[in-house]
């Protein structure tokens, strides 16, 4: 069974602070993704990766960085968090014809 | 660029009836995958069903089936004999095939409420 684990599950951050969201997958999938979910917008792609060392910009990358240091780990980094980045963030890993999602991280930036 | 549009924000149906959720898409790719995912009340997102664009037969899995109309760029999700536990948010998504770009694009979602 595919397993994607996100940490933390909940995070409260201050405006201007640095936030790192972590994702670990045990599926040995090459591809990993970060999405944010907001009411009315569905799931929007922030960054994705084809494998260790690679990161690609998604549809809404501004204000976010990504890091893929290994096959298993993919991080999303908010260098200077803003209230507009308050959202639920989902990590996913997958092959071309199926995505497996983590449980999500609820981030509040105050 | 790819785009996926779900115009139905929410739908309510009576239990044991059939419901159809609409999805239209835009792409320049000749081959692509179309998906439906379900987000439960707990927030969990799970894969439901997939349609390969080069297949004419509509995909079916359990009480989920698809209505694929390629000329209309449409992929509807049909749930027959709905159950209370089908209440969830349903996302339509797509990704290209064999281009090296495995970028998945999602629609905004349709919230389904099944009423007893």
């Amino acid at each position: 069974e595919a397993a994607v684990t996100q940490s933390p599950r909940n995070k409260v951050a201050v405006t201007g602070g640095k936030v790192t969201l972590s994702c670990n997958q045990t599926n040995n999938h090459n591809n990993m993704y970060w999405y944010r979910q907001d009411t009315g917008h569905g799931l929007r792609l922030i960054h994705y990766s084809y494998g260790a060392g690679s990161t690609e910009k998604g549809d809404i990358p501004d204000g976010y960085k990504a890091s893929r240091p290994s096959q298993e780990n993919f991080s999303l980094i908010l260098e200077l968090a803003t209230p507009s980045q308050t959202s639920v963030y989902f990590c996913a890993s997958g092959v071309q014809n199926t995505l497996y999602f983590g449980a999500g991280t609820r981030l509040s930036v105050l | 660029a790819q785009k996926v549009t779900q115009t139905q924000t929410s739908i309510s149906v009576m239990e044991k009836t059939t419901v159809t959720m609409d999805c239209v898409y835009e792409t320049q790719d000749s081959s692509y995958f179309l998906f439906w995912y379900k987000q439960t009340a707990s927030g969990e997102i799970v894969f439901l069903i997939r349609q390969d664009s080069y297949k004419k037969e509509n995909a079916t899995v359990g009480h989920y089936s698809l209505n694929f109309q390629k000329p209309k760029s449409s992929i509807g999700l049909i749930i027959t004999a709905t159950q209370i536990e089908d209440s969830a948010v349903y996302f339509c998504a797509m990704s290209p095939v064999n281009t090296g770009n495995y970028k998945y694009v999602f629609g905004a979602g349709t919230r389904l409420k099944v009423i007893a």
Side-chain angles (χ1 to χ4, degrees):
Chain A
E1 176 92 12
V4 180
T5 305
Q6 294 183 231
S7 62
R9 293 295 315 279
N10 293 281
K11 173 75 177 178
V12 178
V14 296
T15 298
K18 182 177 180 178
V19 177
T20 299
L21 306 183
S22 299
C23 180
N24 176 275
Q25 55 110 351
T26 59
N27 315 313
N28 198 33
H29 289 156
N30 288 333
N31 303 324
M32 296 187 74
Y33 305 80
W34 277 105
Y35 290 88
R36 63 177 283 177
Q37 182 179 20
D38 303 286
T39 302
H41 292 282
L43 294 163
R44 292 184 290 174
L45 182 63
I46 307 170
H47 283 288
Y48 59 109
S49 168
Y50 295 132
S54 88
T55 60
E56 304 287 336
K57 293 182 179 180
D59 297 321
I60 54 165
D62 292 345
Y64 302 94
K65 291 183 179 179
S67 174
R68 182 86 182 271
S70 65
Q71 180 80 339
E72 297 79 19
N73 295 295
F74 190 37
S75 298
L76 186 68
I77 304 156
L78 291 65
E79 295 278 4
L80 294 170
T82 68
S84 65
Q85 294 174 314
T86 293
S87 186
V88 180
Y89 292 84
F90 285 94
C91 175
S93 77
V95 293
Q96 192 167 31
N97 54 13
T98 307
L99 280 184
Y100 299 89
F101 283 86
T105 294
R106 186 173 297 276
L107 173 65
S108 296
V109 182
L110 306 178
Chain B
Q2 296 175 307
K3 184 178 180 181
V4 175
T5 302
Q6 296 177 252
T7 57
Q8 300 160 303
T9 304
S10 65
I11 303 173
S12 292
V13 299
M14 298 300 294
E15 190 180 16
K16 301 179 184 178
T17 62
T18 295
V19 63
T20 298
M21 284 175 267
D22 300 328
C23 175
V24 293
Y25 58 90
E26 298 174 24
T27 183
Q28 302 298 319
D29 297 299
S30 57
S31 294
Y32 43 90
F33 293 121
L34 298 162
F35 309 85
W36 282 89
Y37 284 80
K38 174 184 179 180
Q39 185 175 35
T40 63
S42 66
E44 182 185 18
I45 301 174
V46 295
F47 165 75
L48 283 181
I49 190 169
R50 184 186 83 245
Q51 179 74 40
D52 301 346
S53 66
Y54 46 87
K55 292 185 178 179
K56 294 185 178 180
E57 304 79 27
N58 289 319
T60 298
V61 175
H63 75 144
Y64 302 106
S65 62
L66 298 178
N67 180 18
F68 179 41
Q69 300 184 59
K70 194 170 184 178
K72 296 184 178 180
S73 296
S74 171
I75 183 74
L77 173 68
I78 303 167
I79 307 177
T80 57
T82 52
Q83 304 161 11
I84 299 297
E85 51 266 35
D86 290 325
S87 296
V89 178
Y90 291 82
F91 291 103
C92 179
M94 71 180 304
S95 75
V97 174
N98 295 330
T99 64
N101 176 4
Y102 302 145
K103 181 179 173 182
Y104 285 75
V105 176
F106 284 79
T110 297
R111 182 176 298 277
L112 175 66
K113 183 176 182 180
V114 180
I115 303 167

